[in-house]
C-alpha cells in the first residue's frame, strides 16, 4: 500500500504543478483534472486485479500440492479407496474454505485500495480547485489593472485632444 499512496501523492503533486505552470484555459484544465482522476482510479483497479490474479494462482498451486499430498498419503498409508475419498473430500473442503477466505481478503484489500483512491481524489481535486481559483483571481486582477491602465491612457489621449483643440481654437482667433 505504501507504493500506491506514494503514487497517488506524486500524481496529485504533479497535477498541481502542471496546473500552475501550464498556460491553459479553464476548460482544458478541467479536462486534464478529470483525466488524472480517471487515471488514478484505473491504477487502483489494476492493482486490485493483480492482487486477485496472484492469489488465484496461489490457490491453484495449493490445490495441486494438496492433490499430490493426498496421493502420497494414500500410497504411504495403504488406505483403501473409501478412506482416501473421505480424506480427499475433507481436504477439498479445507481448500475451498481457504479459497473463500482468500477471496474475501482480496476483495477487502481491493475495496480498501478503492476507498483510499476515492479519499485521495477529492483532496487532490480540492488542491486543484484552489489552484484554479488562485489562477482565476490572478487573471481577474490582471484584467482589472489592464482596464485601469487603458482607462488612464484614454483619459490622457482625451486631455491631449482637448488641449490641441483649445490651441487650434486660440490660434484661429
Amino acid at each position: 500500500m505504501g507504493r500506491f499512496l506514494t503514487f497517488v501523492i506524486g500524481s496529485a503533486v504533479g497535477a498541481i504543478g502542471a496546473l500552475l505552470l501550464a498556460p491553459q484555459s479553464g476548460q482544458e484544465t478541467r479536462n486534464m483534472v478529470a483525466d488524472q482522476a480517471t487515471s488514478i482510479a484505473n491504477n487502483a483497479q489494476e492493482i486490485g486485479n493483480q492482487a486477485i490474479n496472484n492469489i488465484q494462482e496461489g490457490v491453484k498451486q495449493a490445490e495441486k500440492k494438496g492433490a499430490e499430498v493426498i496421493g502420497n498419503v494414500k500410497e504411504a498409508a495403504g488406505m483403501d479407496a473409501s478412506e482416501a475419498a473421505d480424506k480427499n473430500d475433507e481436504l477439498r473442503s479445507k481448500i475451498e474454505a481457504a479459497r473463500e477466505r482468500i477471496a474475501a481478503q482480496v476483495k477487502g484489500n481491493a475495496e480498501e485500495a478503492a476507498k483510499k483512491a476515492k479519499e485521495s481524489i477529492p483532496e487532490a481535486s480540492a488542491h486543484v480547485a484552489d489552484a484554479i481559483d488562485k489562477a482565476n483571481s490572478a487573471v481577474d486582477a490582471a484584467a482589472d489593472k489592464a482596464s485601469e491602465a487603458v482607462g488612464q491612457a484614454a483619459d490622457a489621449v482625451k486631455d491631449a485632444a482637448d488641449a490641441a483643440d483649445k490651441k487650434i481654437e486660440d490660434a484661429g482667433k
Side-chain angles (χ1 to χ4, degrees):
M1 285 300 146
R3 284 183 176 175
F4 178 73
L5 185 57
T6 302
F7 172 76
V8 170
I9 291 171
S11 295
V13 169
I16 291 169
L19 288 173
L20 294 175
L21 298 175
Q24 301 175 14
S25 70
Q27 182 62 38
E28 290 172 334
T29 302
R30 286 188 291 277
N31 289 341
M32 187 176 71
V33 169
D35 290 344
Q36 287 293 327
T38 301
S39 175
I40 290 170
N42 288 342
N43 286 338
Q45 188 173 17
E46 185 177 315
I47 290 169
N49 288 340
Q50 288 175 352
I52 289 170
N53 290 338
N54 290 341
I55 290 173
Q56 286 175 343
E57 183 63 30
V59 168
K60 286 178 185 177
Q61 290 178 0
E63 285 178 339
K64 184 178 176 181
K65 290 290 182 187
E68 288 176 14
V69 168
I70 289 174
N72 291 341
V73 169
K74 272 189 209 180
E75 200 173 294
M79 292 183 199
D80 67 359
S82 64
E83 287 181 67
D86 290 343
K87 291 291 183 182
N88 189 20
D89 290 342
E90 181 181 327
L91 184 57
R92 285 187 189 275
S93 298
K94 288 179 181 179
I95 290 171
E96 185 61 33
R99 180 186 295 156
E100 288 173 5
R101 283 193 309 272
I102 291 170
Q105 184 178 4
V106 167
K107 181 180 177 186
N109 290 346
E111 288 172 351
E112 183 178 331
K115 180 182 174 187
K116 286 184 179 180
K118 285 180 183 177
E119 289 171 355
S120 298
I121 289 170
E123 184 177 328
S125 178
H127 291 297
V128 169
D130 288 344
I132 290 170
D133 289 344
K134 287 178 183 178
N136 285 337
S137 295
V139 168
D140 289 344
D144 289 346
K145 286 182 181 180
S147 176
E148 184 179 315
V150 168
Q152 289 174 353
D155 289 344
V157 169
K158 183 178 182 236
D159 291 345
D162 289 344
D165 283 345
K166 179 145 173 96
K167 283 184 181 180
I168 291 171
E169 192 176 298
D170 289 344
K173 287 185 183 180

